[in-house]
Amino acid sequence: MSPPLGLALRWMECIIAVAIIQGTLELFAIRTTFADDGIWRWSTLRRELRWLQPVLAYRAFLGVLLVRLLAASLLLSGVRGATVPILWVATLFVNVRFLGTFNGGSDSMTMVVLSGLVVAHVGAPWPLLVQSALLYVAVQSLMSYFIAGCVKLKNREWRQGTALRSFVASPQFGAPEFVRQRLASTAMARTASWCVMLFECTVPLALAGPTTALVIISVASVFHLGNVAVFGLNRFFFAWGATWPAIWYMSGQLE
């Protein structure tokens, strides 16, 4: 049995609020990198984004981050109202500040979830519109897994396991030594690669029903926790986790 519509929305709000709090605190921790003498300093962007200086220059941008942190904390505690639209706007400013997204896919999925929540809040009097917002989030999430799996499946290096092994061996990620040692084996690397590809390609089956959805969500949580442990992709867990209630809810509507 899938969760009621209101409960699915509340879970989405809580998880995305945690994702935004986490991401905002990380940006505060590296704020010197986008200060006036940092590598992402405002002067580099001033020419093309001059009209946004009141919100994207260093001190103003810190204010945007503070508002974002406060709004996410309020949403997590149950205060709704204007918090979701504020988070949508603040997150958009963050993405514009870094000319796209700072953390790639996780920031993009955060915008997807926030967009769905904005529509759901505005369309609260119309259940069909709220359901459509959750369907949007669910489909975006399912397709992100499916497309990633298909792309890997077409790549011979992924099918052979060498792509995964090279990612793990890269000093950029700092994977644990025992993981690097295990995937040094061709058989282990190939097995792990095929497990990832098969999981990603079969995620859309979550819409077959609530039980199937729960199984796939459970596997997805292990998959993302593994990515946190091996590659340090901590933002991805909560960004995609915020889509799981929408998937679970829609699985009950489409069975």
Side-chain angles (χ1 to χ4, degrees), residues 172 197 241 254:
Q172 174 185 353
M197 292 186 292
L254 300 175

Side-chain angles (χ1 to χ4, degrees), residues 2-5 8 12 127-139 142 206-210 213 217 243-255:
S2 59
L5 183 58
M12 289 173 64
L128 184 59
L129 186 56
V130 179
Q131 290 177 328
S132 298
L134 265 68
L135 178 61
Y136 163 75
V137 173
V139 169
L142 294 173
L207 294 180
I217 288 170
T243 71
W244 298 337
I247 293 172
W248 189 16
Y249 172 78
M250 292 311 305
S251 71
Q253 307 305 306
L254 300 175
E255 66 176 334

Side-chain angles (χ1 to χ4, degrees), residues 220-243:
S221 65
V222 173
F223 169 74
H224 284 288
L225 286 173
N227 283 330
V228 172
V230 176
F231 300 114
L233 301 176
N234 54 335
R235 289 196 189 186
F236 284 70
F237 180 82
F238 290 109
W240 262 263
T243 71

Side-chain angles (χ1 to χ4, degrees), residues 35-97:
D36 294 333
D37 58 349
I39 57 173
W40 288 305
R41 53 189 174 272
W42 169 248
S43 60
T44 305
L45 305 175
R46 183 180 297 157
R47 180 172 302 177
E48 56 185 306
L49 296 176
R50 183 183 299 275
W51 61 284
L52 284 174
Q53 180 162 342
V55 289
L56 297 186
Y58 178 59
R59 292 188 181 279
F61 187 61
L62 290 180
V64 170
L65 293 180
L66 189 59
V67 168
R68 189 175 186 241
L69 184 61
L70 178 60
S73 301
L74 288 173
L75 182 61
L76 184 60
S77 66
V79 178
R80 290 174 169 177
T83 52
V84 173
I86 288 172
L87 284 173
W88 189 92
V89 173
T91 301
L92 178 63
F93 281 146
V94 171
N95 292 338
V96 171
R97 175 63 177 80

Side-chain angles (χ1 to χ4, degrees), residues 112-212:
V112 166
V113 174
L114 288 175
S115 298
L117 288 175
V118 167
V119 173
H121 282 211
V122 172
W126 304 281
L128 184 59
L129 186 56
V130 179
Q131 290 177 328
S132 298
L134 265 68
L135 178 61
Y136 163 75
V137 173
V139 169
Q140 288 289 325
S141 178
L142 294 173
M143 291 306 295
S144 71
Y145 288 110
F146 180 71
I147 292 172
C150 289
V151 170
K152 291 182 180 71
L153 197 57
K154 291 172 60 178
N155 188 300
R156 187 173 70 174
E157 291 184 348
W158 265 98
R159 297 195 303 271
Q160 293 177 340
T162 54
L164 179 60
R165 187 164 54 196
S166 66
F167 280 126
V168 171
S170 172
Q172 174 185 353
F173 297 109
E177 179 62 28
F178 79 93
V179 175
R180 294 201 298 271
Q181 290 177 352
R182 289 296 180 88
L183 293 186
S185 161
T186 300
M188 286 293 294
R190 184 180 292 119
T191 299
S193 294
W194 276 95
C195 285
V196 170
M197 292 186 292
L198 290 176
F199 158 69
E200 290 181 332
C201 288
T202 57
V203 164
L205 293 176
L207 294 180
T211 301
T212 306

